[in-house]
């Protein structure tokens, strides 16, 4: 195990428009849409907290302040719940707020994921850090970002989470050109953002979990705008992979693209079936619906 700095900060880009899930996301940030009884963003923050990260950096924009409010103290609500003796509900809203620090930075122009990450530079300085994309919900025993942290502690290099993707869907992902290190761990010899099935170097697509090292900022500053006229994180990682080693890890767990209507529905069903208070009745209900 190499001596590496601890991952203390997570960057969560939340400045996207959420067009894939309209009209639900028209006046509510897509990150605030509920999966069962919690907004999507809370699952993402809880994943970071469960992996030892307390400092959450939101890359945000106008119209997204509901996210910051969700992670702030609501004195009136808390007092009312306490007065009414609703301790259990109070804990649900209070505990997470006390566990984390939230910092937000505005992304002043919609110039892509790479640009969003660059906005975090003044808050990261020279540390390694985690990136979690809030569309991707990962259901796993060990938090997905925690799995990447373990790989980072072993390799001291940037790590992306990957999963096998069917050919017809590959053009929705960043895709790696893998060199196997051992079962599930690869060196990414190159990365391509949203290639056609013919151009894709493999079927290993990048999902929204990354451990990045601060070198990424210099690269992001110097690469040209890429696919869709946006500054692409995948392009920066591809450049970095030519200079240093970038790792890819086939995480253990199941990922749901909750930024997409079908993925969002699937996530609600799966998380509903796991909810301690709802699962029994929900399962019975689903059985009746499916047989009807
Ligand atoms: C982003 C990244 C892409 C990655 C994907 C995972 O794309 O650019 O490389 O595979 O997230 O969810 P987006 O889905 O934001 O277009």
């Amino acid at each position: 195990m190499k001596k590496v700095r601890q991952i203390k900060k997570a960057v969560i880009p939340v400045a996207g428009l959420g067009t894939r899930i309209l009209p639900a996301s028209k006046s509510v940030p897509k990150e605030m849409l509920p999966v069962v009884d919690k907004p999507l963003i809370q699952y993402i923050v809880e994943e970071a907290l469960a992996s030892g990260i307390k400092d959450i950096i939101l890359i945000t924009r106008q119209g997204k302040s509901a996210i910051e409010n969700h992670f702030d103290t609501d004195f009136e609500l808390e007092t009312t719940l306490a007065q009414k003796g609703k301790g259990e509900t109070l804990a649900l809203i209070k505990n997470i707020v006390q566990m984390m620090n939230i910092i937000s930075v505005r992304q002043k122009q919609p110039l892509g994921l790479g640009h969003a990450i660059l906005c975090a530079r003044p808050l990261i300085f020279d540390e390694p850090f985690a990136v979690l994309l809030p569309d991707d919900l990962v259901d796993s025993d060990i938090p997905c970002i925690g799995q990447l942290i373990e790989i980072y502690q072993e390799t001291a290099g940037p790590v992306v989470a990957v999963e096998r993707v069917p050919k017809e869907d590959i053009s929705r992902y960043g895709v790696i050109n893998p060199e196997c290190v051992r079962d599930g761990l690869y060196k990414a010899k190159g990365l391509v953002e949203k290639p056609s099935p013919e151009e894709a170097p493999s079927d290993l697509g990048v999902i929204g979990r990354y451990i990045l090292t601060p070198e990424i900022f210099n690269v992001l500053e110097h690469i040209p705008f890429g696919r869709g006229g946006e500054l692409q994180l995948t392009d920066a990682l591809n450049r970095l992979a030519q200079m240093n080693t970038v790792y890819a890890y086939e995480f253990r767990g199941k990922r749901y693209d909750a930024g997409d209507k079908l993925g969002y529905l699937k996530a609600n069903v799966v998380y509903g079936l796991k909810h301690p208070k709802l699962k029994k009745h929900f399962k019975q209900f689903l059985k009746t619906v499916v047989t009807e």
Side-chain angles (χ1 to χ4, degrees):
M1 196 136 318
K2 301 187 182 167
K3 196 162 168 35
V4 288
R5 288 179 72 174
Q6 212 189 328
I7 308 285
K8 292 185 178 163
K9 294 175 181 163
V11 175
I12 308 183
V14 295
L17 287 173
T19 49
R20 289 187 298 152
I21 203 155
L22 278 169
S25 56
K26 188 180 171 198
S27 63
V28 175
K30 66 171 174 180
E31 298 80 6
M32 289 303 294
L33 296 176
V35 172
V36 189
D37 59 354
K38 286 190 281 194
L40 193 45
I41 188 75
Q42 186 165 338
Y43 290 88
I44 307 299
V45 167
E46 285 175 351
E47 182 183 327
L49 290 172
S51 308
I53 299 171
K54 286 190 182 151
D55 294 339
I56 306 293
I57 300 172
L58 296 177
I59 312 298
T60 182
R61 70 168 176 87
Q62 222 178 40
K64 296 270 183 163
S65 50
I67 302 173
E68 283 139 286
N69 293 343
H70 182 72
F71 294 111
D72 194 3
T73 304
D74 183 334
F75 186 71
E76 196 182 340
L77 178 62
E78 289 179 16
T79 310
T80 308
L81 290 172
Q83 279 168 353
K84 292 191 170 168
K86 298 198 167 177
E88 204 181 325
T89 314
L90 180 60
L92 280 181
I93 62 157
K94 209 172 163 182
N95 291 355
I96 187 159
V97 173
Q98 288 171 340
M99 284 164 78
M100 62 189 277
N101 302 312
I102 197 144
I103 307 146
S104 60
V105 186
R106 293 276 174 127
Q107 184 178 11
K108 292 174 191 155
Q109 286 170 285
L111 298 178
L113 178 58
H115 178 258
I117 301 304
L118 207 44
C119 293
R121 187 179 203 170
L123 298 164
I124 301 280
F125 307 110
D126 59 352
E127 289 174 59
F129 60 102
V131 173
L132 296 93
L133 305 187
D135 281 357
D136 286 337
L137 261 189
V138 185
D139 182 23
S140 57
D141 293 336
I142 302 172
C144 184
I145 202 69
Q147 296 179 36
L148 297 197
I149 291 173
E150 272 181 36
I151 300 293
Y152 170 72
Q153 284 165 343
E154 177 190 330
T155 61
V159 195
V160 302
V162 290
E163 68 177 5
R164 303 235 171 238
V165 174
K167 202 171 180 184
E168 63 271 23
D169 295 336
I170 203 78
S171 57
R172 294 184 359 212
Y173 294 80
V175 181
I176 67 158
N177 181 6
E179 180 187 311
C180 189
V181 176
R182 63 163 189 263
D183 195 24
L185 181 64
Y186 307 88
K187 286 182 181 174
K189 290 190 287 175
L191 295 95
V192 192
E193 179 67 1
K194 304 196 169 90
S196 66
E198 297 71 41
E199 289 162 342
S202 73
D203 65 345
L204 287 167
V206 177
I207 69 132
R209 299 291 185 274
Y210 309 77
I211 299 295
L212 300 176
T213 50
E215 296 81 60
I216 198 77
F217 295 124
N218 279 340
V219 180
L220 279 167
E221 253 182 6
H222 290 105
I223 56 166
F225 283 73
R227 203 176 170 86
E230 296 185 343
L231 196 58
Q232 295 291 353
L233 179 59
T234 304
D235 293 348
L237 285 164
N238 182 49
R239 181 71 65 89
L240 202 58
Q242 315 310 319
M243 306 184 289
N244 299 313
T245 309
V246 172
Y247 291 89
Y249 183 63
E250 237 178 301
F251 66 98
R252 283 151 290 150
K254 177 96 181 95
R255 167 242 187 197
Y256 298 92
D257 179 2
D260 161 84
K261 290 179 188 177
L262 185 59
Y264 177 74
L265 268 181
K266 287 181 185 172
N268 270 285
V269 171
V270 169
Y271 283 78
L273 288 170
K274 281 174 173 271
H275 190 286
K277 291 199 171 153
L278 302 173
K279 61 182 176 189
K280 191 172 152 226
H281 294 293
F282 187 49
K283 192 173 180 179
Q284 281 168 354
F285 170 72
L286 280 185
K287 276 186 188 159
T288 61
V289 174
V290 172
T291 46
E292 260 165 28

